[in-house]
Amino acid sequence: MKDKAQSETLLSVDNLSIGFSQYIGGLKRRTIQVIVDLNASIGHGEVVAVVGASGSGKSLLAHSILGILPGNAIMSGRMAYGGEELTAKRQAALRGKEIAFIPQSVNFLDPLLRVGKQARIGFDRKTAAARQRELFLRFGLKEKDGDLFPFELSGGMLRRTLFATCVREGVKLIIADEPTPGIHPEALNEVLTQLRQLADSGAGVMLITHDIMSALKIADRVVVIKDGRTVEVAEASAFEGQGEKLAAEYTRNLWRALPENDFDLMFAGDGGNGHVA
Amino acid sequence: MFKKLKNMNARERMLIAAIFSGALLLAIFVLSFTISDGNLRANARIMDQGPSFSHPFGTDWLGRDMLARTMKGLRLSLMVGVVASIISVIISVILGVGSAVLGKTVDNVISWVTDLFIGMPHLIFMMLVCFMMGGGVKGIIVGVSLTHWSLLARVIRAEVLQLKNAEYMQISSSFGKSLWFIAWHHVIPYIMPQIIIRFLSVFPHAIVHEAAITFLGFGFSPQTPAIGVILSEAMAHISTGKWWLVFFPGFLLVLVAKSFDSISEQAHILLEPVSANE
Amino acid sequence: MSLKGEGLGFYYKKDKWIFNKLDIKISPGEVKGLSGYSGCGKTTLGKILAGFIEPQAGTVTVDGAPLPRKGFRPVQMIYQHPEKAIDPRWRMRQVLTESFTPSRELVEALEIRGEWLGRHPIELSGGELQRFCIARALNPATRYIIADEMTTMLDAITQAKIWHVFKKLCAARNIGVVIVSHEASLLKRLCDSVIYLEDVTAKGSAA
């Protein structure tokens, strides 16, 4: 097929920049550039981890793909989805359907609504119940779990409910924003396994996180972001040893600075910090 | 260069509106001092004249210049407004902060009193206070201040309750900082925007209420040059077609109140973080 | 000489103990890890040790005496989100000197730059702000520090750098440190010993 190469890329973001206009000293507006030059792409069946510290602009990347940036944001650059430009109109039509967003915390579930009902939101009323049961089965939840309230579910089950609520059939792109902050290893593995399975079934997954170690368990590629710029797009397999296969020095240092690796050995040389009474 | 109004950003438009309002208030203030008190004296030769060049607002049935009377009246209104607003804001801050930090019992008592004052009809209460204090400037100031603190007190209580849980507040107390230090350096700057907004928005209330109370005969004595006095006296003459006696003072009263209203509105938009960047 | 929590118990809802009958002891100069996952009560325990919350059961003592209610508290806490731990209306100079006036050596060791002092917190990054929080906590009267997920929001390089300096500073002053974190690998790297709160609570509630 002639356009196979194109269709393999599900989403591409090129030269994305995002700034916020703010007032300074009375009447002057200034633009604060948060994202300067961001590039990323995701193919079908691929998990791409977007890694960066908080404040590096990685969540804004998700928001700009979904088209939910705040009003004073100024955006430029190109975003293409399925080979076509991703316009605001398409974003509105696609989000929640083909493009799914999984928020950080299970607190995004309504504590006063039975989880089955929450998963039915947005479905056609006649078929909603059946489709919700299907989704629950798909994410390893029992049928009767739908009658429970969020507080009655365990952490792992809550994660699965969140997935069932956010991810619908026909979803092609999943954006997970920091889905694993400090959670129990079982719940963590649950989340990672689910994301990998979604990718294996053909969807593209963007995993936004600052937990490199967890991301590497399932990611195919890693986009490293620093100060609103893409520093490097590396194969997940390049993160090994002393990071010799990584191209950028920043990425190498990032890898080495992990507690699992060298950690603070890289600063052991500077004696100047030690002499404090 | 002047930009077209619609091309300006929100803050520039806001500033222009505020400058207009401010200029008007300043003009009234300056005029009230520059016009000589001689114009307030009765003058039998120029009784009941309509607006003219020498008397732009006309004269009344005693031959007093209405421009002079209106300006002096508005100056008194502004003065009452400033004092009443300051007092009501001080009451609000003390009760609001006290309610939030002095424990449950104090909170219950203050909240009860606050609700009582919110529920009370302002005008009737003010009339009562003025009557008790024998009218005059004091009565009006006390009346207006006592009826206009409750909303801000409630807002401040809520803000401070929220702030109390802020990590930097708890850290400050773990450094051994005194309540006074924390109140002065952490709490007051936090509630300052609310205070400014409320201060400005009590102003028009104070002015209009002052006029209303005086109009009803509970406020200033008839010889005081107050807007309320002017309006109530003029009522007797309006049926005889002397429209200028009511129109100019009434119109300016509305204009002054509206000016403060618009300044406080702008301050509100400017100081509230949510809308500050639009 | 130690920071001691004895028979500590805490609940939000009556008789639903988050932990109970918990004993913990930190000696000067010791680095103790407190591990557990979100929602297990490790931050609550940290706040109890630092005197921010009263436990429903048990006592906290510092070098034999109960935590002082007034004045400077010898147990200081460093939080996960430095932007919440700093008054956003203050300038950084004020923030730095709220607890005491740090020596130039301390400021330099933490690589706090002079040009930051005139700025507002919003103009600095999380890593930069956290250095100020550390400086504030290192008051000469500080005996123990609870570091609650202190570097969780930072990138790995900044994290490594901050711990490198922090450990040295605390060791030099013989300060006892409790590192609260969900990251086992970080605790392994930094601590003399680690308490797994989930194990303790399981035992505590069974007892």
Side-chain angles (χ1 to χ4, degrees):
Chain A
M1 284 208 265
K2 67 175 179 358
D3 55 5
K4 187 169 184 284
Q6 274 178 358
S7 68
E8 273 178 355
T9 307
L10 179 63
L11 174 87
S12 66
V13 177
D14 295 305
N15 306 109
L16 180 72
S17 84
I18 298 174
F20 291 94
S21 80
Q22 283 190 329
Y23 286 100
I24 44 160
L27 299 179
K28 267 181 267 162
R29 272 186 203 226
R30 103 183 135 171
T31 307
I32 297 176
Q33 213 57 38
V34 184
I35 290 185
V36 186
D37 180 15
L38 215 59
N39 296 285
S41 71
I42 300 177
H44 289 284
E46 196 181 28
V47 177
V48 173
V50 177
V51 173
S54 66
S56 63
K58 58 192 196 307
S59 287
L60 280 179
L61 173 64
H63 294 177
S64 62
I65 294 170
L66 292 159
I68 53 173
L69 289 171
N72 61 336
I74 302 159
M75 202 181 92
S76 74
R78 264 184 328 238
M79 283 193 284
Y81 175 79
E84 273 176 73
E85 201 195 334
L86 189 57
T87 57
K89 211 173 149 194
R90 282 188 78 207
Q91 282 172 333
L94 290 169
R95 70 175 167 240
K97 299 186 180 76
E98 276 189 33
I99 303 180
F101 179 64
I102 301 175
Q104 279 197 13
S105 158
V106 290
N107 292 337
F108 280 77
L109 291 169
D110 186 339
L112 301 176
L113 202 58
R114 293 177 201 281
V115 291
K117 267 209 171 134
Q118 308 200 30
R120 262 174 251 165
I121 292 170
F123 285 143
D124 186 57
R125 195 165 293 177
K126 283 175 213 149
T127 56
R131 290 173 76 180
Q132 174 250 315
R133 276 196 294 275
E134 249 170 63
L135 276 170
F136 269 41
L137 283 179
R138 179 168 165 200
F139 288 105
L141 292 159
K142 293 190 199 74
E143 209 179 309
K144 64 172 172 32
D145 292 340
D147 293 330
L148 299 175
F149 287 102
F151 77 92
E152 295 173 294
L153 297 170
S154 73
M157 282 160 87
L158 277 173
R159 297 276 154 191
R160 278 179 268 170
T161 317
L162 196 63
F163 272 69
T165 309
C166 298
V167 180
R168 269 77 213 276
E169 70 248 54
V171 71
K172 295 207 176 111
L173 175 63
I174 294 138
I175 299 171
D177 186 7
E178 207 78 65
T180 59
I183 59 174
H184 197 276
E186 270 172 43
L188 174 67
N189 282 332
E190 186 111 35
V191 171
L192 295 174
T193 313
Q194 290 293 0
L195 287 174
R196 188 65 247 180
Q197 278 173 3
L198 285 166
D200 290 343
S201 68
V205 175
M206 176 182 274
L207 171 61
I208 295 173
T209 182
H210 73 267
D211 181 0
I212 301 177
M213 277 306 189
S214 303
L216 286 175
K217 287 183 193 161
I218 60 163
D220 299 301
R221 287 185 300 141
V222 179
V223 178
V224 183
I225 294 182
K226 188 201 178 210
D227 300 333
R229 267 177 230 275
T230 301
V231 178
E232 181 174 0
V233 181
E235 295 295 322
S237 57
F239 288 86
E240 58 164 26
Q242 290 287 311
E244 295 88 348
K245 287 188 200 161
L246 294 164
E249 197 195 346
Y250 175 77
T251 321
R252 273 198 300 278
N253 285 339
L254 198 66
W255 172 244
R256 282 183 57 201
L258 290 177
E260 289 87 348
N261 300 330
D262 286 353
F263 195 48
D264 64 343
L265 288 184
M266 43 205 288
F267 307 111
D270 60 359
N273 285 334
H275 311 295
V276 177
Chain B
M1 286 294 103
F2 289 107
K3 289 188 244 174
K4 278 202 181 132
L5 204 57
K6 64 174 179 191
N7 291 339
M8 291 193 236
N9 66 39
R11 287 205 177 184
E12 284 168 331
R13 280 199 298 268
M14 209 179 290
L15 193 74
I16 288 191
I19 286 174
F20 266 114
S21 311
L24 178 80
L25 296 172
L26 192 72
I28 289 173
F29 199 64
V30 171
L31 269 178
S32 72
F33 280 102
T34 50
I35 294 174
S36 109
D37 283 343
N39 291 329
L40 290 178
R41 235 170 277 138
N43 187 341
R45 269 175 298 163
I46 49 166
M47 285 191 306
D48 291 332
Q49 288 184 352
S52 65
F53 272 113
S54 47
H55 303 286
F57 285 14
T59 60
D60 65 4
W61 61 98
L62 292 173
R64 293 176 292 190
D65 178 42
M66 284 307 289
L67 177 66
R69 292 193 76 199
T70 307
M71 291 305 153
K72 306 267 176 199
L74 285 172
R75 183 179 71 191
L76 189 66
S77 300
L78 290 179
M79 194 206 80
V80 169
V82 172
V83 180
S85 300
I86 290 175
I87 295 177
S88 84
V89 162
I90 290 174
I91 299 175
S92 312
V93 172
I94 292 173
L95 292 186
V97 174
S99 190
V101 300
L102 292 181
K104 231 176 183 167
T105 324
V106 178
D107 184 29
N108 283 341
V109 173
I110 294 180
S111 294
W112 186 80
V113 176
T114 310
D115 288 344
L116 188 75
F117 272 84
I118 287 178
M120 195 142 42
H122 286 178
L123 210 56
I124 293 174
F125 182 74
M126 264 188 288
M127 274 166 16
L128 210 69
V129 172
C130 284
F131 187 72
M132 273 165 50
M133 313 227 11
V137 178
K138 215 172 32 173
I140 287 179
I141 287 176
V142 172
V144 172
S145 328
L146 278 184
T147 44
H148 285 80
W149 58 269
S150 42
L151 277 178
L152 179 62
R154 196 185 251 188
V155 169
I156 288 179
R157 173 180 171 270
E159 296 267 5
V160 176
L161 275 181
Q162 200 185 354
L163 187 66
K164 242 172 53 172
N165 292 322
E167 286 173 2
Y168 59 83
M169 294 275 284
Q170 302 185 349
I171 290 171
S172 195
S173 75
S174 85
F175 290 152
K177 296 293 176 191
S178 67
L179 260 178
W180 278 115
F181 178 92
I182 294 175
W184 187 249
H185 292 279
H186 290 294
V187 179
I188 297 290
Y190 182 77
I191 56 177
M192 207 57 205
Q194 298 286 356
I195 291 178
I196 293 172
I197 292 165
R198 193 64 197 163
F199 171 75
L200 288 168
S201 65
V202 167
F203 231 101
H205 281 253
I207 293 169
V208 173
H209 277 147
E210 177 262 310
I213 290 281
T214 309
F215 180 83
L216 292 171
F218 294 96
F220 294 122
S221 54
Q223 55 272 32
T224 328
I227 288 289
V229 174
I230 296 173
L231 290 177
S232 73
E233 282 178 357
M235 280 302 281
H237 299 266
I238 196 167
S239 53
T240 59
K242 290 166 201 143
W243 56 273
W244 60 88
L245 293 182
V246 177
F247 177 76
F248 291 111
F251 181 69
L252 271 176
L253 176 69
V254 172
L255 214 59
V256 166
K258 187 65 206 146
S259 297
F260 269 110
D261 196 42
S262 104
I263 293 177
S264 81
E265 193 116 310
Q266 315 305 0
H268 188 77
I269 296 171
L270 213 73
L271 295 170
E272 285 282 302
V274 181
S275 55
N277 281 321
E278 275 168 13
Chain C
M1 290 285 274
S2 58
L3 170 64
K4 250 193 231 169
E6 284 164 304
L8 295 178
F10 189 83
Y11 57 74
Y12 287 105
K13 232 165 119 188
K14 195 145 177 76
D15 292 332
K16 271 193 135 178
W17 294 94
I18 294 171
F19 49 79
N20 195 7
K21 295 179 186 163
L22 192 149
D23 296 324
I24 186 168
K25 184 181 163 225
I26 302 100
S27 310
E30 186 187 357
V31 181
K32 183 155 265 172
L34 191 55
S35 170
Y37 303 100
S38 67
C40 73
K42 59 188 192 301
T43 294
T44 307
L45 180 56
K47 282 187 174 172
I48 287 173
L49 291 174
F52 285 114
I53 325 181
E54 287 285 315
Q56 267 91 4
T59 52
V60 177
T61 53
V62 186
D63 302 339
L67 270 177
R69 292 189 167 272
K70 275 188 182 164
F72 186 85
R73 239 179 274 152
V75 185
Q76 284 292 312
M77 185 150 172
I78 299 172
Y79 286 79
Q80 177 175 3
H81 300 283
E83 65 279 1
K84 290 191 204 163
I86 290 174
D87 191 328
R89 283 157 213 85
W90 283 22
R91 289 188 190 274
M92 296 316 294
R93 189 182 321 274
Q94 222 180 336
V95 172
L96 186 64
T97 53
E98 185 177 6
S99 136
F100 71 113
T101 308
S103 67
R104 193 192 299 164
E105 287 83 6
L106 177 60
V107 171
E108 274 169 12
L110 286 164
E111 293 177 41
I112 292 173
R113 290 196 215 134
E115 72 219 51
W116 294 346
L117 298 180
R119 296 192 195 162
H120 283 291
I122 194 166
E123 297 170 85
L124 298 184
S125 73
E128 288 159 3
L129 291 178
Q130 200 61 289
R131 293 163 202 264
F132 283 83
C133 292
I134 293 171
R136 290 194 304 191
L138 287 169
N139 188 301
T142 301
R143 304 304 315 137
Y144 302 92
I145 290 182
I146 319 285
D148 181 14
E149 302 276 9
M150 183 168 84
T151 55
T152 304
M153 303 310 289
L154 310 178
D155 69 88
I157 300 173
T158 314
Q159 163 170 285
K161 205 173 213 167
I162 283 186
W163 281 115
H164 180 73
V165 179
F166 182 74
K167 255 191 99 166
K168 268 191 190 171
L169 290 169
C170 290
R173 295 164 178 231
N174 207 24
I175 288 173
V177 181
V178 179
I179 301 178
V180 181
S181 175
H182 67 274
E183 230 179 305
S185 51
L186 182 71
L187 293 178
K188 208 193 283 171
R189 205 81 203 204
L190 292 166
C191 302
D192 304 325
S193 63
V194 179
I195 298 175
Y196 294 91
L197 196 55
E198 269 138 4
D199 300 350
V200 177
T201 46
K203 259 185 263 163
S205 56

